[in-house]
Amino acid sequence: MPRVVPDQRSKFESEEFFRKLSRECEVRYTGYRDRPIEERQMRFQTGCRDGRSDVAFVATGTNLSLQLLSPQSDNVSSRAQPGQEFVDFEREAGKVFLQAPMILNGVCVTWRGWVDLQRLDGMACLQFDEERARAEDLLAQQNIEESRRRTREFEHRERQHREDMQHVISPFRDKTELHGSSVSTQPRNNCEADVNMLSTY
């Protein structure tokens, strides 16, 4: 199945879910809620440096597991480290600025925002990812064309198989019918012979 909807920008601009989250709003780190605040602070920073973090938009309750890496890193070793464009501890003291590209509800977006390293809350929004949307649209179209090609090939093989079977069955059917007709006449001749023999007595 395609990973994206046919008209991503239209959905991003018209759907209420995206319209709310496209405006900057409050976010919170949601990992390890049952642990002390000092441990959560440490785990949050460790997770960011490893390229992952769990956050939620407070207004909508939308929980997201952020992958703070380039989309091209999806299939690369899990040991890949995020660049400064995705995780930036240096821009402003006491905060980390994060960027996470993702496909959300069939739309290519980028989560952009910051989180306070002490309070573990901050501000963020979703932005439409035009470049990745074009790439995913092209990939979806290629997948559709490939699926159609395989369907045509399968139908052609099935049709060819049926035709081949017809060629194999037809001679056999002709011989069976011929043999059946010769067998059906034999008993009648025997019966006629028996009747003639009886009539002579």
Side-chain angles (χ1 to χ4, degrees), residues 6-136:
D7 191 347
Q8 298 181 61
R9 177 174 285 280
S10 176
K11 181 173 182 177
F12 181 81
E13 293 177 347
S14 61
E15 196 171 278
E16 184 64 21
F17 172 79
F18 287 113
R19 291 172 63 184
K20 280 184 178 181
L21 300 185
S22 64
R23 297 186 292 269
E24 195 170 67
C25 48
E26 184 180 359
V27 294
R28 283 184 189 153
Y29 173 62
T30 58
Y32 303 95
R33 294 180 179 179
D34 59 335
R35 308 306 300 165
I37 183 63
E38 294 82 4
E39 182 179 342
R40 296 187 72 223
Q41 292 168 349
M42 179 191 68
R43 288 184 177 274
F44 170 68
Q45 293 189 41
T46 300
C48 289
R49 290 188 171 91
D50 288 341
R52 53 184 170 73
S53 186
D54 296 325
V55 298
F57 284 99
V58 176
T60 61
T62 304
N63 290 276
L64 298 172
S65 292
L66 304 182
Q67 300 297 316
L68 307 166
L69 297 165
S70 167
Q72 286 73 30
S73 301
D74 290 346
N75 297 321
V76 180
S77 169
S78 59
R79 298 172 62 87
Q81 297 295 309
Q84 192 168 357
E85 62 177 309
F86 299 102
V87 178
D88 188 352
F89 284 96
E90 300 177 5
R91 188 184 308 183
E92 186 175 336
K95 295 180 180 179
V96 59
F97 287 78
L98 305 175
Q99 175 177 309
M102 68 182 73
I103 298 177
L104 184 61
N105 293 352
V107 178
C108 293
V109 297
T110 299
W111 189 102
R112 294 181 190 272
W114 57 268
V115 176
D116 187 281
L117 297 177
Q118 296 298 315
R119 301 193 312 269
L120 301 180
D121 60 14
M123 303 292 288
C125 66
L126 295 179
Q127 298 177 353
F128 183 64
D129 190 339
E130 182 76 46
E131 182 177 352
R132 190 178 183 191
R134 285 197 300 268
E136 288 291 338

Side-chain angles (χ1 to χ4, degrees), residues 99-181:
Q99 175 177 309
M102 68 182 73
I103 298 177
L104 184 61
N105 293 352
V107 178
C108 293
V109 297
T110 299
W111 189 102
R112 294 181 190 272
W114 57 268
V115 176
D116 187 281
L117 297 177
Q118 296 298 315
R119 301 193 312 269
L120 301 180
D121 60 14
M123 303 292 288
C125 66
L126 295 179
Q127 298 177 353
F128 183 64
D129 190 339
E130 182 76 46
E131 182 177 352
R132 190 178 183 191
R134 285 197 300 268
E136 288 291 338
D137 284 340
L138 179 60
L139 181 61
Q141 186 60 39
Q142 291 173 344
N143 289 338
I144 291 172
E145 291 299 325
E146 178 65 16
S147 177
R148 289 174 178 170
R149 184 186 66 79
R150 289 180 179 178
T151 300
R152 289 193 299 267
E153 290 180 351
F154 175 77
E155 291 174 347
H156 174 73
R157 288 195 301 269
E158 285 291 295
R159 186 166 55 252
Q160 188 66 44
H161 176 68
R162 288 194 298 269
E163 292 174 356
D164 292 343
M165 290 300 294
Q166 286 294 329
H167 291 312
V168 172
I169 293 173
S170 294
F172 177 75
R173 180 182 300 162
D174 293 341
K175 290 181 179 179
T176 303
E177 292 175 352
L178 181 61
H179 180 68
S181 62

